Amino acid sequence: MRKFLVLHGPNLNLLGSREPEVYGRQTLEEIDHMLQEWAEQRGCRVDTFQSNSEGALIDRIHEARDRYDGIVINPGAYTHYSIALRDALAAVPVPAVEVHLSNVHAREPFRRHSVISPVVRGVIAGLGPVGYRLALEALWAELDGGGSAGA
Ligand code: CA2
């Protein structure tokens, strides 16, 4: 059975409670539920994990080696500066997709730069919660031999 790991970074546990104009009204629990429904339809497993701690996210990435077929990660604000998270993703040979709920390119200039993007298969930003599902679909297609546009 195919297995995917979805990682949610810092502050994403607050979803639904504040800044709905930026991040929407869905709670993280509702997003995770939507991903479980996707997993049921596909007959695969999706494990979800949220942490406000860089180290906890890195530990889960390390543990993903040989355990998961793909990783979907919204690194939250770590996107913009965590070399440690980037190194973990680069070190583990599991394909990963970076997801952002908001369109980071239409916001403050500091959000336009991601230190994570160079080490993942692709990036989805600005499409809200559906971005997570699209990321899983992309990883699924790659496992089916769909390949990716990158090198
Ligand atoms: O758009 C995204 O998904 C982000 O990764 C979200 C991060 C932000 O730092 C990135 O630049 C873009 C922040 C997540 C904070 O989530 C909140 C949710 C509700 C209320 C307050 C914060």
Side-chain angles (χ1 to χ4, degrees), residues 10-137:
N11 296 309
L12 288 162
N13 53 312
L14 299 176
L15 280 177
S17 66
R18 299 212 309 264
E19 299 192 59
E21 66 288 356
V22 182
Y23 298 117
R25 295 196 179 276
Q26 272 191 279
T27 64
L28 194 60
E29 205 183 354
E30 287 166 346
I31 292 174
D32 286 347
H33 182 74
M34 181 250 304
L35 300 179
Q36 291 308 328
E37 283 184 343
W38 180 86
E40 261 176 50
Q41 283 162 18
R42 285 289 190 181
C44 69
R45 188 168 129 192
V46 172
D47 293 338
T48 58
F49 178 75
Q50 187 276 332
S51 180
N52 296 319
S53 148
E54 193 178 23
L57 293 165
I58 290 168
D59 287 344
R60 293 301 291 251
I61 293 167
H62 290 173
E63 289 161 15
R65 189 188 195 108
D66 299 327
R67 285 194 202 171
Y68 290 97
D69 299 296
I71 297 172
V72 172
I73 181 166
N74 182 344
Y78 289 141
T79 304
H80 313 298
Y81 66 91
S82 175
I83 306 298
L85 210 50
R86 172 195 168 123
D87 286 349
L89 287 164
V92 172
V94 179
V97 175
E98 176 184 341
V99 169
H100 298 288
L101 293 162
S102 65
N103 180 355
V104 284
H105 300 287
R107 299 181 63 194
E108 303 95 325
F110 68 84
R111 293 191 203 275
R112 288 185 202 142
H113 181 66
S114 167
V115 298
I116 305 297
S117 299
V119 301
V120 293
R121 287 291 203 277
V123 183
I124 296 171
L127 302 180
V130 76
Y132 288 98
R133 210 171 56 211
L134 294 173
L136 288 167
E137 291 283 1

Side-chain angles (χ1 to χ4, degrees), residues 1-18:
M1 182 189 266
R2 288 179 180 175
K3 293 183 195 140
F4 300 93
L5 176 64
V6 176
L7 295 173
H8 306 287
N11 296 309
L12 288 162
N13 53 312
L14 299 176
L15 280 177
S17 66
R18 299 212 309 264

